[in-house]
Amino acid sequence: MFTSPGILLNTGSQRLFTKIIVTLKRRSSRKSTLSNLDRARHCVNDEFDYYPSDTTIWKSLRSTDINRLTRNFLWKCMHEAFRVGTFWDNIPDLHHLAYCPACAVPDTMEHIALECDAPGQKRIWTLCERMWKLRFNHWPRLHWGLILGCALPHFRSARGKRLRGKERFTIIVSTSVHLIWKIRNERILEGKIITDIEVENRWISAINSSLRRDQILTNKARFGSLGKSKQIVLETWSGVLQNEDALPDDWTRSKGVLVGIWPTTRRIGVGGQSPTQRLVTCA
């Protein structure tokens, strides 16, 4: 006769009850988070004619193409959790920290990643474009929204066939913006003077680390369902490897596989190194 709402305690699990409790709580959304979600959505739509939902955007931040520390970094960027820019406006005697010391403009994450004149970001994005054009012609115009949604783009050929460049775009953009942030912190917080040569060496080292990470993750016996498809890894890095013609067809288990992009500057004078020597040193 009577219908009681809910479920019996002895028929549910702790996981199920936790989900129910979470759904009952109202979550207030931050304006900055909603703004960044919209920026990512519209930038991806403008460049790739694809309109992702909020759920898709959040899921993309957990992409296995991005290493764990960089995933955390992008998640914090989406929420504007870093203490930059307007964060310092309400802190007495620290208002000057809200401005970029190199450009004298508000020090936002977008400015740090794309606009700052201090050594680092321009050189890194130039290297990204050079690496991309080793295989593809068009390098997308970068916006802050596209960086936040770097795991969202769908690259397709003129015939509509999917290109594996998506994985490489995700890897190089996420790795690069995280490196820009780390270099900025070393310059601002630690007072380090970072040269263009060091920037290039560190970028090449970071990209080679991503390559080695992909190689390791192809070990299905070790990682199981968390591993990466060997075919996808081979297609992702094809065309950008050093001495690729001399590598075996399946180089995922080979040691010493490096990206084949050369730095744009070289050290001149006593003790100088050739590009080949520097590339091996970075690896």
Side-chain angles (χ1 to χ4, degrees), residues 31-269:
K31 292 182 179 179
S32 57
T33 303
L34 295 176
S35 174
N36 284 328
L37 286 171
D38 283 339
R39 294 185 68 177
R41 185 173 13 256
H42 289 290
C43 283
V44 171
N45 185 48
D46 291 342
E47 288 287 339
F48 302 97
D49 195 23
Y50 164 55
Y51 203 76
S53 64
D54 286 354
T55 302
T56 303
I57 295 173
W58 288 121
K59 186 177 180 180
S60 72
L61 294 181
R62 301 194 300 269
S63 171
T64 56
D65 295 326
I66 309 173
N67 68 55
R68 180 178 57 84
L69 293 178
T70 305
R71 288 199 299 266
N72 294 340
F73 167 75
L74 291 176
W75 185 88
K76 291 180 179 179
C77 286
M78 189 68 77
H79 286 292
E80 292 191 6
F82 291 108
R83 299 181 179 183
V84 297
T86 56
F87 171 85
W88 300 103
D89 288 344
N90 299 321
I91 310 295
D93 302 326
L94 293 178
H95 300 95
H96 62 282
L97 296 178
Y99 295 89
C100 174
C103 309
V105 298
D107 199 24
T108 63
M109 292 300 295
E110 181 177 7
H111 172 78
I112 294 169
L114 295 170
E115 301 167 358
C116 187
D117 293 329
Q121 68 92 6
K122 291 182 180 179
R123 183 76 61 175
I124 286 174
W125 293 128
T126 299
L127 291 168
C128 286
E129 185 175 358
R130 288 180 58 207
M131 180 178 177
W132 182 260
K133 288 186 175 179
L134 289 175
R135 183 174 172 187
F136 302 104
N137 295 324
H138 174 64
W139 171 248
R141 183 181 177 185
L142 287 179
H143 301 275
W144 181 237
L146 187 57
I147 291 175
L148 293 175
C150 61
L152 291 168
H154 293 168
F155 291 91
R156 299 189 181 277
S157 65
R159 297 182 178 181
K161 183 180 179 181
R162 182 180 174 184
L163 301 174
R164 291 299 181 182
K166 177 204 170 189
E167 285 77 9
R168 186 183 307 156
F169 182 83
T170 301
I171 292 169
I172 63 177
V173 170
S174 61
T175 301
S176 297
V177 71
H178 196 191
L179 178 60
I180 290 171
W181 170 249
K182 289 187 284 188
I183 289 175
R184 177 262 181 193
N185 288 342
E186 292 174 8
R187 186 179 66 251
I188 299 297
L189 303 179
E190 302 177 20
K192 288 185 178 181
I193 299 176
I194 301 176
T195 64
D196 288 339
I197 292 178
E198 182 179 354
V199 169
E200 292 180 353
N201 282 335
R202 290 180 63 175
W203 182 84
I204 293 173
S205 178
I207 296 299
N208 278 324
S209 295
S210 297
L211 171 59
R212 288 195 296 272
R213 175 178 176 270
D214 272 3
Q215 286 182 275
I216 294 171
L217 288 176
T218 58
N219 189 340
K220 292 286 187 177
R222 180 178 177 183
F223 297 101
S225 60
L226 298 178
K228 302 190 71 172
S229 167
K230 185 179 297 186
Q231 186 61 31
I232 289 179
V233 172
L234 292 172
E235 293 180 7
T236 297
W237 295 96
S238 174
V240 298
L241 300 179
Q242 181 185 4
N243 300 325
E244 189 168 347
D245 294 338
L247 295 175
D249 293 336
D250 181 9
W251 45 260
T252 56
R253 299 296 179 90
S254 302
K255 296 182 179 180
V257 181
L258 305 171
V259 293
I261 183 171
W262 307 114
T264 56
T265 60
R266 66 178 67 184
R267 190 178 292 110
I268 300 176

